[in-house]
Amino acid sequence: MKISELSRRTGVPVASIKYFLRQGLLPAGRATAATLAEYGEEHAQRLRLIKALTTLGGLSIAATRDVLGAVDQAHGVEGALGAVSYALPVPGVRPEEVSEGDATAGAEVTELLATLEWQVPGTSPHVKGLTAALKELRRLDAHYAPAELAAYARLAESVARLDLERAVGIDDPVSLAERAVVVLAVCAPVFELLRRLAQEDQVRRRVADAGDAGAVSPDQRRRV
Amino acid sequence: MKISELSRRTGVPVASIKYFLRQGLLPAGRATAATLAEYGEEHAQRLRLIKALTTLGGLSIAATRDVLGAVDQAHGVEGALGAVSYALPVPGVRPEEVSEGDATAGAEVTELLATLEWQVPGTSPHVKGLTAALKELRRLDAHYAPAELAAYARLAESVARLDLERAVGIDDPVSLAERAVVVLAVCAPVFELLRRLAQEDQVRRRVADAGDAGAVSPDQRRRV
DNA sequence: CTGTGTTGGATACTTCGAGTATCCAGCTAC
DNA sequence: GTAGCTGGATACTCGAAGTATCCAACACAG
């Protein structure tokens, strides 16, 4: 199909498609002449993925390019998930801002990983990100006790198990990588929304239990 | 203290402090003369919160203003959490983009909430956000089965319980609201990072189990 | 008392990301 | 054969988030 049809079918303006081509997010069509190229279904699919990443995932063009690059090179479950996981930024975390002199937070992360018996390389950007985040929490006087952190980590483990369930049974590498992107970029907001709703529900229950006072007394904390 | 000292103590440039004053993020100092104002410790604290929200939370100035406004008006656990929860955007979700004709996703959310017996008002922005996100997942051919969604929701419930544990025992309304902000804006990335690390760990284990093949066979899915 | 230097306030400017719009020459399809 | 796309390049717009400049009013050290 021509670019105009691609535009019509995906709802993306022609100028934007050209922009994505320029930015290397979308592979060029098969040129049939000096001023004509043919686009296929894979271009439409890629455009939909780009839209999902930038709108739902909230990614910048540069981040999207990195993720798509990882998708293109990935093969196999571990390759796809790993590449995408590393390329996909965690909102609100800038790993590059981790200085080296963060002894306390760094040790905290190392210890946590040891306690959990998680097998992750110390070079993972997520380790650096976690170190940065914990450091910031400490600076804000809101740091987690190791036990609290471990409790969250156990829940995160359960969530990750669910995540991976969704990846099995997909054979096509490209589909797999794209599914990985969706799981990471789009499902994270879903979980966050569920968390917020659960918070709302629990606050509501506690208020109902406590009557008009609105306070949460210790003996009611476990009733939910 | 004068603005220059406030700048020195927080590391925020004077020009930026003026910018935040202009934008209504920071209350004006107590004017001691036409060209002189006195700033207190609360200004420094507020500046630190602003920095945390914009950098770690990744919030825009406008969103930060909303959150701070909610913080200033909140009192009590439910007020603080509610106001902040509503004001704090979920990265990657634009609730205003939910059209009205989303029968399938809307019903899905309603049904989920009923199943979970969560008490949340249908007017909550998170309900709209969740509807939008599920709709997008469906469009991407990656929608959750109701049972999967419920499984995630149960985990979210556990996480929310941990979240609220951190809010009890704080009496000062302002501290409480600020803690709510930190829990929502800063801890969400922490959990996301833990989730990513857990994914890494599990992929690694599965690969180890499966040998060089790298594939995940059905009979190994449950071994982790 | 005087002049150096800071302050608040206003306004203008810069930078960056993310598109849009315009232009142009070549080609296609009616 | 010509009207109208097309690819490719370049220029423009727009908003967000600061920065920088300017100015009159004042503080306060000597």
Side-chain angles (χ1 to χ4, degrees), chain B residues 42-55:
Chain B
E42 72 276 15
H43 290 92
Q45 186 186 0
R46 174 58 68 104
L47 266 180
R48 276 190 289 272
L49 185 58
I50 292 171
K51 246 175 125 178
L53 285 172
T54 54
T55 62

Side-chain angles (χ1 to χ4, degrees), chain A residues 80-154:
Chain A
L81 265 182
V84 171
S85 178
Y86 284 3
L88 205 63
V90 176
V93 174
R94 272 159 285 302
E96 70 275 12
E97 287 177 8
V98 184
S99 64
E100 299 307 321
D102 42 20
T104 315
E108 202 174 352
V109 171
T110 310
E111 195 185 314
L112 175 69
L113 293 178
T115 305
L116 297 169
E117 296 186 332
W118 283 2
Q119 302 172 10
V120 293
T123 55
S124 166
H126 303 322
V127 170
K128 297 194 78 170
L130 190 55
T131 303
L134 293 183
K135 197 176 159 195
E136 186 69 14
L137 281 178
R138 190 173 296 275
R139 220 178 54 72
L140 287 167
D141 261 332
H143 75 98
Y144 288 118
E148 287 177 303
L149 206 49
Y152 275 105
R154 287 298 170 206

Side-chain angles (χ1 to χ4, degrees), chain A residues 49 51-58 88 178-193, chain B residues 91-93 130 132-138 140 142 144 192 195-196:
Chain A
L49 185 59
K51 246 174 122 179
L53 286 173
T54 54
T55 63
L56 235 77
L88 205 63
E178 289 188 355
R179 176 57 54 98
V181 168
V182 170
V183 167
L184 289 177
V186 184
C187 296
V190 168
F191 190 83
E192 175 65 15
L193 287 166
Chain B
V93 173
L130 190 55
L134 293 182
K135 198 176 158 193
E136 187 67 15
L137 282 178
R138 191 172 294 274
L140 287 167
Y144 288 118
E192 176 64 15
R195 181 182 180 170
R196 298 269 184 105

Side-chain angles (χ1 to χ4, degrees), chain B residues 143-165:
Chain B
H143 75 99
Y144 288 118
E148 287 176 302
L149 206 50
Y152 275 106
R154 288 296 172 207
L155 289 171
E157 204 170 8
S158 300
V159 173
R161 247 191 285 273
L162 285 181
D163 291 338
L164 287 211
E165 293 299 324

